[in-house]
C-alpha cells in the first residue's frame, strides 16, 4: 500500500460523501463535484497500484539476478 493508493482511497471517500450530500440536498453541483472526486480517486489509486506492481516486479527480478 503506497501514498498514491491511500490518497486515492481518501479522494474516493470524500467524493462519495459529496455525491450523497448533493443528492440529499438537491445540489447537482456538489453531486457532480463528488463524482469527479471519486473518479480522480479511482485514477490515483490505480496509478498507485501500477507503481507498486512495477516495484514488486523489479524487486523480483533483482532477487533472481542476485541468487
Amino acid at each position: 500500500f503506497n501514498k498514491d493508493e491511500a490518497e486515492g482511497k481518501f479522494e474516493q471517500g470524500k467524493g462519495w460523501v459529496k455525491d450523497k450530500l448533493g443528492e440529499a440536498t438537491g445540489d447537482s453541483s456538489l453531486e457532480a463535484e463528488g463524482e469527479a472526486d471519486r473518479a480522480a480517486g479511482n485514477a490515483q489509486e490505480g496509478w498507485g497500484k501500477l507503481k507498486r506492481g512495477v516495484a514488486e516486479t523489479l524487486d523480483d527480478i533483482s532477487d533472481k539476478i542476485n541468487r
Side-chain angles (χ1 to χ4, degrees):
F1 207 69
N2 62 36
K3 179 182 173 188
D4 285 309
E5 289 175 282
E7 289 178 359
K9 285 285 189 191
F10 177 77
E11 283 297 314
Q12 290 174 46
K14 184 175 75 172
W16 183 86
V17 170
K18 286 181 181 179
D19 183 18
K20 297 305 174 190
L21 187 58
E23 286 177 11
T25 61
D27 185 342
S28 60
S29 177
L30 184 60
E31 187 178 347
E33 186 178 330
E35 290 170 359
D37 286 348
R38 287 171 67 185
N42 281 330
Q44 186 169 12
E45 181 185 8
W47 173 245
K49 285 180 179 180
L50 176 68
K51 286 180 12 181
R52 181 168 41 96
V54 168
E56 289 172 357
T57 300
L58 291 175
D59 285 344
D60 289 345
I61 291 170
S62 176
D63 290 344
K64 288 178 183 177
I65 290 173
N66 291 327
R67 286 185 190 178

